[in-house]
Amino acid sequence: KAGVTQTPRYLIKTRGQQVTLSCSPISGHRSVSWYQQTPGQGLQFLFEYFSETQRNKGNFPGRFSGRQFSNSRSEMNVSTLELGDSALYLCASSTGTGSPYEQYFGPGTRLTVT
Amino acid sequence: GQNIDQPTEMTATEGAIVQINCTYQTSGFNGLFWYQQHAGEAPTFLSYNVLDGLEEKGRFSSFLSRSKGYSYLLLKELQMKDSASYLCAVRDRRRGGGNKLTFGTGTQLKVEL
């Protein structure tokens, strides 16, 4: 069974630009969650999508948005990039139902904003 | 919201036992997870507790006390490959269900000879 894939793996952008990251979950998984990981803040929850609907949302500004497609693939978009957005962005997939909702993480996209 | 505390760093000897503690304050609790993350890699799932008590899985065990807002991860027969960051995460109880995990900042474990 293929794992969670994320593209691209590395990205360099400049302030003010926007970026789109992609996540393909494990086959059969309907839930995709996105996290931002930085050395200072650790892993912080951005949002979760389940069956093409945003089911949960963290405390990030509206510049961070996402969507999920009918095949469960998900994208997240960050507009008007700031230096502080430099981070590892991880997505995690799970079945989204039942318990314990074990999440499987992808390798992440390393975003550097200059 | 959630507040999660765990030690920043720990050092232990190969073959020994180490206990990594995690305390949390929550407005709604629906389970506690432990993840392992090696440098430069994605977190991998270790354990899940939703009821009080001990869950054992090979060399790894996790304990939960909901009344005390406390959990620990116990690693036995430490190996060098266990050197990693260990993340404690709490899931919110939310009406819509789903996964909203709040992570601690992680405990960096170093295993020495």
Side-chain angles (χ1 to χ4, degrees):
Chain A
K1 204 175 197 180
V4 181
T5 58
Q6 291 187 246
T7 56
R9 292 294 310 279
Y10 302 92
L11 206 49
I12 299 175
K13 291 285 189 179
T14 55
R15 274 180 299 175
Q17 288 186 312
Q18 67 93 28
V19 67
T20 299
L21 313 180
S22 179
C23 172
S24 292
I26 291 170
S27 177
H29 284 191
R30 295 161 62 193
S31 166
V32 174
S33 298
W34 288 90
Y35 295 86
Q36 181 195 67
Q37 187 172 34
T38 58
Q41 299 294 321
L43 263 165
Q44 293 186 286
F45 175 80
L46 281 155
F47 28 65
E48 180 204 9
Y49 284 86
F50 178 76
S51 292
E52 301 179 65
T53 301
Q54 187 180 85
R55 183 159 69 170
N56 286 295
K57 189 177 187 305
N59 298 321
F60 278 79
R63 299 186 298 109
F64 292 81
S65 63
R67 59 177 174 168
Q68 187 179 35
F69 301 95
S70 57
N71 62 357
S72 294
R73 188 177 71 85
S74 177
E75 289 181 347
M76 68 162 279
N77 185 77
V78 188
S79 62
T80 320
L81 283 166
E82 300 177 0
L83 294 178
D85 297 333
S86 294
L88 179 66
Y89 290 88
L90 293 160
C91 79
S93 85
S94 70
T95 59
T97 58
S99 184
Y101 284 23
E102 180 180 334
Q103 292 189 73
Y104 298 85
F105 282 85
T109 295
R110 173 75 62 185
L111 172 65
T112 302
V113 182
T114 62
Chain B
Q2 312 274 12
N3 186 41
I4 299 174
D5 288 311
Q6 50 181 133
T8 304
E9 294 178 339
M10 296 183 73
T11 302
T13 305
E14 189 179 37
I17 299 173
V18 71
Q19 177 174 312
I20 302 174
N21 296 324
C22 171
T23 58
Y24 63 90
Q25 296 167 318
T26 175
S27 55
F29 177 84
N30 196 21
L32 186 143
F33 295 77
W34 283 96
Y35 281 83
Q36 179 192 61
Q37 187 176 26
H38 285 99
E41 297 182 12
T44 56
F45 171 81
L46 289 177
S47 70
Y48 170 76
N49 296 72
V50 67
L51 300 176
D52 291 350
L54 189 68
E55 293 283 340
E56 297 187 79
K57 195 187 274 189
R59 294 191 299 115
F60 296 78
S61 303
S62 57
F63 172 83
L64 175 68
S65 168
R66 289 172 296 169
S67 62
K68 295 181 180 177
Y70 168 70
S71 173
Y72 68 72
L73 179 70
L74 195 71
L75 291 78
K76 303 174 189 173
E77 301 169 16
L78 279 172
Q79 302 174 11
M80 298 298 289
K81 67 178 182 179
D82 297 329
S83 293
S85 181
Y86 290 85
L87 306 167
C88 171
V90 172
R91 190 169 82 200
D92 271 351
R93 177 177 298 282
R94 301 176 80 82
R95 192 161 39 173
N99 280 318
K100 183 181 186 294
L101 295 186
T102 301
F103 281 82
T105 52
T107 297
Q108 188 64 46
L109 174 66
K110 183 178 179 184
V111 180
E112 298 179 328
L113 291 171

